[in-house]
Structure formats: C-alpha cells, structure tokens
Amino acid sequence: MRIDVLTLFPEVCEPYFAASILGRAQTAGLVTIRCHNIRHYSTDSHRKVDDRPFGGGPGMVLMCQPVKDAVEAVEQEAGGPTTRVVLSPRGERLTQSIASELAGCERLMLIAGHYEGFDERIFELLKPREISVGDYVLSGGEAAAMVLVDAIVRLRPGALGDPDALAEESFTGGLLEYPQYTRPREYEGLVVPEVLFNGDHQKIEQWRREQARRITQERRPDLLDRPG
Ligand code: 9D3
C-alpha cells in the first residue's frame, strides 16, 4: 500500500510516520508513506498557496492551482490514480468501518489544509472523499491525517507485531477495554482481582467480557445499541 500526504507542514507529519508501528510497517515494506509540501507546487512567484475569500470574511482559502497540480504530479509519481481524501471538519466522521474500508485501497492520497477552507472547486475537480476526525476544531488537517494513517496502517496484515491483537479486537468488537493489571500484585493497598491468578482461562475470559460490557454500559451505552 502507498499513502501520499499533501500538506503545508510535511516536517510535522514525517517524524510521526517514521516512529513505532508506522515506522516498522514501512521498514517491513508493508506500506510506503510519502509527505509532499503543497507549496512546492505553487506556480506563483511568491509560492503563494492561499488567498482572501471572495465575498469577504475572515481567514484565507487554499487555492485550486497548487492543490490540483500537487495531486496530479503525485499521482504520476505514485504510478496511477489514487483514492483521494480531503481532511475537513465538514467531512463524514471517521469510524473504524471507514478506516477498514480505506485500508483496502492500494493507493491513497490524503490532503490536509491548515486553518482555512479549500476553494470549493477543489472538491468538484478532485471528487475526494471528505473525512473529519470529530466534532472539535483543529488548527489544521495534519493531525487528522496522522490519525487516519495510523488507524488505516495498523489494519494492514502484518503491521501489528502480534497477529492475535487484531483478532482480539474484532472478537471483542465494539466494546471498551476490560481492566488490565501487571506487576506488582499489590500496590499502595490496591490488589489485582483474584480471578486473574486461578489459571482458569475460561473464567478469566468470562470475567473480562463481563467487565468490558459493564464499562461500556456505564460510559458508552450508545456502543451497545449498534453493530460493529
Ligand atoms: C467554519 C469555520 N471553521 C470550520 C469549523 C473553519 C475551519 C477551522 C479549522 C476550517 C478548517 C480548520 C482546520 N481543521 C481541519 O482542517 C480539520 C478538522 C477539524 O478541525 N476537526 C475535525 N476533523 C478535521 S479534519 C481537518
């Protein structure tokens, strides 16, 4: 899988993609992630990428030219058409099911703006999917792109060190995590539940399922109402 990220701040995204699971997935050849500076594609003599909105109003608007040219140049480089995604507060809210769908793409292009909207014609020309990472305001799409890449890459076969981890996730699908403990057995008078020591793995599984259901009921009853 190849993921290209178009952004005004590639230097912010690159170290994130180089670390931990994403870095290892790249070293292992499971995924290639490339960041590209939209500014490099501006044909303006001052490398301008945004301008004031027609009709007035606050903020700046990302111009069509640098974005359109960047997408076309990078698609050439990537070896063909890509599934295009613009990170935008007005997009559909990211879910595990959307991440899973995008993890099935062989070529992905993520486009992030920074504290500004896109010229609407970018959407008409590029026909991207628009994705938001939640109902709060970020100062740019970079953090959202990092979230999306992370959610996607860990779903690719081999990306997680332990193949049981993904299976466990889909098995307990939709529930919040059960309580976990590690050494020591007692800390500041707080003891680890006895059931975890009796060696009865069926009992342990049952306890964990009950706990996961209880915590989900308490904190996110909405998760129990729907599948996935
Ligand atoms: C209508 C005024 N603002 C919309 C809430 C303008 C605006 C603010 C901040 C436009 C873009 C941004 C930067 N945010 C993103 O690019 C973004 C985002 C977000 O802010 N929240 C959740 N998901 C995302 S994905 C991209």
Side-chain angles (χ1 to χ4, degrees):
M1 173 184 219
R2 171 169 170 147
I3 304 176
D4 288 287
V5 181
L6 303 190
T7 164
L8 293 166
F9 296 93
E11 73 280 7
V12 170
C13 303
E14 273 157 355
Y16 181 76
F17 297 143
S20 185
I21 302 232
L22 296 182
R24 217 185 33 132
Q26 291 196 78
T27 312
L30 301 174
V31 60
T32 302
I33 307 168
R34 290 279 149 76
C35 299
H36 310 268
N37 194 332
I38 294 168
R39 195 173 298 281
H40 291 163
Y41 297 88
S42 171
T43 54
D44 177 85
S45 59
H46 299 99
R47 300 269 146 195
K48 200 168 138 71
V49 293
D50 53 12
D51 208 335
R52 293 175 310 177
F54 281 129
M60 299 287 274
V61 177
L62 207 49
M63 296 157 66
C64 291
Q65 181 276 318
V67 176
K68 169 87 169 357
D69 287 359
V71 168
E72 289 182 345
V74 172
E75 283 192 351
Q76 284 276 335
E77 199 181 313
T82 58
T83 297
R84 300 162 175 176
V85 174
V86 169
L87 283 311
S88 152
R90 71 176 199 188
E92 53 181 330
R93 183 111 53 93
L94 180 61
T95 60
Q96 190 64 25
S97 142
I98 292 172
S100 174
E101 208 184 306
L102 294 175
C105 298
E106 279 317 305
R107 283 196 282 255
L108 258 185
M109 171 100 57
L110 309 185
I111 305 159
H114 197 82
Y115 196 64
E116 56 200 357
F118 293 82
D119 186 310
E120 188 65 24
R121 291 166 294 186
I122 289 173
F123 301 108
E124 294 175 53
L125 289 165
L126 299 177
K127 302 256 191 300
R129 194 153 178 180
E130 281 182 75
I131 293 179
S132 158
V133 295
D135 295 338
Y136 41 81
V137 183
L138 298 171
S139 43
E142 300 82 22
M146 291 187 265
V147 165
L148 182 55
V149 167
D150 189 287
I152 289 169
V153 171
R154 65 189 296 290
L155 291 173
R156 298 285 295 189
L160 295 186
D162 180 356
D164 290 348
L166 260 192
E168 162 95 358
E169 243 170 52
S170 68
F171 182 68
T172 57
L175 291 185
L176 299 181
E177 248 185 326
Y178 50 76
Q180 298 201 84
Y181 302 87
T182 187
R183 292 190 294 176
R185 210 169 149 150
E186 178 176 344
Y187 186 72
E188 298 204 353
L190 299 175
V191 297
V192 176
E194 199 56 42
V195 63
L196 300 177
F197 302 107
N198 68 11
D200 184 340
H201 292 286
Q202 239 173 315
K203 261 245 160 79
I204 292 172
E205 275 318 298
Q206 188 195 328
W207 181 83
R208 286 178 168 168
R209 266 199 307 278
E210 285 165 10
Q211 294 294 315
R213 243 183 259 117
R214 174 184 62 78
I215 290 172
T216 307
Q217 179 61 248
E218 281 169 16
R219 302 185 187 188
R220 294 290 308 277
D222 58 299
L223 294 179
L224 297 171
D225 299 339
R226 56 190 155 94

